[in-house]
Amino acid sequence: MWALGDYAAVAREVIPGLGAVLVDACGVRAGQQVLDVAAGTGNAALPAARAGARVTASDLAPELLDAGRRLADEAGLALDWERADAEALPFDDASFDVVVSCVGVMFAPHHRVAADELVRVARPGATIGLVSWTPQGFIGQMFAAMKPYAAAPPPGAQPPPLWGDEAHVRELLGDRVEDLRAEKRSWPVRFARPEDFRDFFKRTYGPTIVTYRGIADDPEKVAALDVALADLARDHMDADGRMGWEYLLVTARRSGA
C-alpha cells in the first residue's frame, strides 16, 4: 500500500518538519544509536542523523527506503536503511538508545505486537518516542470518512488512529516504560481548496489510493467519496485554506535503567 502513489511528496509537502519535532522531543544527540521504525522516506531519521546520531531507518516498503536513501545522499547524511516489518524487527534485544516512529508504526495492523517490538529493541533507560494522528483529529476523521468505502481490514487488525489515544498507548506500553508523557498538538497544513487536498491524497497517499481502487467500478461510490473528503477538508479549513491536523506526541523511558 505504501509503495503506491508518492508518499515522499506527502512527507515533503505536508509534514516536512514533523519528524524533527519528534527528534527534538526525544532529545536525540550525537553518538546515540537511533532506530526509526516505519521510517518511510526518513521524516524522523534524517533529522536524527543531522543531530549526529547513528541512525537505522527501517520500513517494510523498499520503494520508500530507496527514496530516503536519495534524500540522505543529497543532504550528505550517512544512515543505515533496512527493510523491516514493524511487527518483527530484525534487531537484537536492547540495541538502541532511542526508538522513534513518526506516523509510521501506527499503521502496523497488530498494535500489541508492534508495541512489544518497540520496547524489545530499546535498551534499559532508552527513550521511546511516537507521533500518531489522533482519532478525533483530521486524519482520524479522514479514515472514518473512508471506512464505508474501504475493504474490511484483516482479522485482528486495529484502527491506526488508536495510537493517537493516550490511554491506548499507555495500555500498550504498560509498566515496561517510565515517565511517559503525552501531549496533543496541531500540525499546520494548507491547501488552496478542499478539492486540492482530496486530489493530492488521491494521487499520493497509499490508504486513499487503495480505497479508491476498491470502488473504481462503482462511479456512484467514487463520487460520494469525492464529496465526503472535500467536505471534510472544507469543514476544517479557514478562509485561507489552513488546517490544523491533531497528533499525539508521546515520549517515555524504557524501564530497567
Side-chain angles (χ1 to χ4, degrees), residues 199-246:
D199 294 344
F200 180 81
F201 266 58
K202 283 178 68 173
R203 184 177 70 254
T204 62
Y205 195 61
T208 310
I209 293 169
V210 167
T211 301
Y212 272 99
R213 285 189 176 183
I215 59 173
D217 59 351
D218 191 330
E220 290 186 3
K221 286 186 177 180
V222 171
L225 183 54
D226 278 347
V227 170
L229 292 180
D231 284 349
L232 177 66
R234 186 175 294 106
D235 290 344
H236 283 76
M237 279 183 173
D238 67 14
D240 293 320
R242 291 174 298 205
M243 296 183 278
W245 292 3
E246 187 180 73

Side-chain angles (χ1 to χ4, degrees), residues 144-208:
M146 293 193 301
K147 185 176 179 180
Y149 306 93
Q158 294 176 280
L162 272 180
W163 279 89
D165 180 274
E166 180 180 346
H168 182 66
V169 177
R170 286 186 179 275
E171 193 276 329
L172 288 175
L173 298 178
D175 61 5
R176 299 175 297 177
V177 302
E178 302 171 353
D179 194 25
L180 189 151
R181 302 180 183 185
E183 179 185 357
K184 287 183 179 178
R185 296 186 180 183
S186 181
W187 183 253
V189 176
R190 185 180 184 279
F191 286 91
R193 304 178 308 138
E195 293 79 10
D196 292 336
F197 154 77
R198 178 198 64 208
D199 294 344
F200 180 81
F201 266 58
K202 283 178 68 173
R203 184 177 70 254
T204 62
Y205 195 61
T208 310

Side-chain angles (χ1 to χ4, degrees), residues 82-100:
E82 294 199 31
R83 189 178 186 189
D85 184 345
E87 296 185 0
L89 294 171
F91 309 112
D92 292 337
D93 296 357
S95 296
F96 296 93
D97 303 306
V98 183
V99 180
V100 298

Side-chain angles (χ1 to χ4, degrees), residues 22-127:
L22 178 59
V23 167
D24 182 65
C26 291
V28 173
R29 61 185 184 273
Q32 288 185 313
Q33 292 276 5
V34 176
L35 174 64
D36 186 1
V37 178
T41 57
N43 198 264
L46 295 178
R50 288 192 188 96
R54 291 171 288 176
V55 180
T56 299
S58 66
D59 199 277
L60 193 58
E63 296 85 354
L64 300 187
L65 295 175
D66 289 343
R69 286 190 191 94
R70 290 192 293 270
L71 292 173
D73 289 345
E74 291 169 4
L77 297 171
L79 292 80
D80 291 327
W81 299 86
E82 294 199 31
R83 189 178 186 189
D85 184 345
E87 296 185 0
L89 294 171
F91 309 112
D92 292 337
D93 296 357
S95 296
F96 296 93
D97 303 306
V98 183
V99 180
V100 298
S101 188
C102 181
V103 295
V105 75
M106 65 179 290
F107 292 100
H110 305 102
H111 295 188
R112 171 70 63 190
V113 177
D116 289 350
E117 284 294 276
L118 294 177
V119 174
R120 180 184 66 78
V121 299
R123 293 183 176 123
T127 298

